[in-house]
Amino acid sequence: MQKLLLAIDRFSTWFGKTCAWSVVALTLLISWEVFSRYVLNNPHAWVLDAQIMLYGLLFMTAGAYTLAKNGHVRGDVLYGFFRPRTQATIDLLLYIAFFLPGIVALTWAGWTFANESLAMREQTFNADPIPVYPFKFVVPVAGAFLLLQGIVEIIRCVICLQTGEWPRREEDVEEVDVDKLKEMVHVKDADIEALDSLGNKKGGQ
């Protein structure tokens, strides 16, 4: 079971990192449009719509990746002090009561919405229209990935309730934890204060 959970974590990570390249496309597109508009005096009406679509792609597809890394914001003022089983109980109830209904509705409605857009070959409303329907399929696809990762998190909650410990996750690049970094290099706050005071003495000489 653990191998399957980690495999889906890796799948969500791959999906998120692949779609993250839209940042590069978005940056290049905006830079080119600024140059074209202000240097060549040749603006393009469709670029704003394309920018919105690329940003939407990035925003929608980040959900499964963030959930796989347990990176979504939670009010953990009290949560962090709870035992793993208590945390798992809270998470499980919230997943069942809010996450599953919301994401299933998003995926289902998104699929209907995208197919209606495809049927009419929907385009943007400007002087240079571009197709909208490919972008609208991002909604059900991103919803399906998020739903799959959510099911993995529910299974993790059940395992934690059984064992009393959270199952292991795939590791990825994360923000630096200063306290953990101090432990790794065997540095204490007193050592840092001593170095600071020594530097202040030398600076005063």
Side-chain angles (χ1 to χ4, degrees), residues 15-36:
F15 179 65
K17 287 184 175 180
T18 300
C19 294
W21 284 99
S22 60
V23 172
V24 178
L26 182 60
T27 302
L28 293 175
L29 179 63
I30 293 174
S31 301
W32 172 74
E33 177 60 15
V34 169
F35 177 79
S36 180

Side-chain angles (χ1 to χ4, degrees), residues 54-97:
L54 284 170
Y55 179 75
L57 171 67
L58 178 67
F59 178 82
M60 290 294 296
T61 56
Y65 171 86
T66 308
L67 188 58
K69 305 305 174 190
N70 197 27
H72 283 288
V73 176
R74 62 156 53 96
D76 58 355
V77 176
L78 296 176
Y79 181 91
F81 292 99
F82 295 151
R83 294 178 301 174
R85 278 199 173 95
T86 306
Q87 294 176 345
T89 301
I90 294 172
D91 286 355
L92 184 59
L93 291 174
L94 293 177
Y95 275 121
I96 294 173

Side-chain angles (χ1 to χ4, degrees), residues 93-108 147:
L93 291 174
L94 293 177
Y95 275 121
I96 294 173
F98 297 103
F99 177 87
L100 287 180
I103 299 304
V104 168
L106 171 70
T107 306
W108 182 270
L147 180 61

Side-chain angles (χ1 to χ4, degrees), residues 115-195:
N115 276 285
E116 290 175 352
S117 180
L118 174 62
M120 68 178 70
R121 295 297 190 272
E122 187 178 3
Q123 296 180 328
T124 56
F125 295 96
N126 58 44
D128 300 313
I130 58 176
V132 175
Y133 56 88
F135 168 69
K136 288 192 174 178
F137 275 97
V138 171
V139 177
V141 170
F145 273 86
L146 187 54
L147 180 61
L148 177 63
Q149 187 61 47
I151 293 172
V152 169
E153 300 307 314
I154 289 173
I155 294 172
R156 283 198 169 103
C157 290
V158 174
I159 293 174
C160 183
L161 288 172
Q162 293 173 342
T163 64
E165 295 181 357
W166 284 108
R168 186 169 59 88
R169 291 179 178 273
E170 273 288 297
E171 295 183 359
D172 196 7
V173 178
E174 297 179 356
E175 293 183 9
V176 175
D177 188 319
V178 177
D179 291 329
K180 289 184 179 179
L181 186 60
K182 288 177 182 177
E183 291 178 5
M184 288 172 57
V185 296
H186 306 291
V187 173
K188 299 178 180 179
D189 290 336
D191 299 327
I192 298 174
E193 292 174 0
L195 287 174

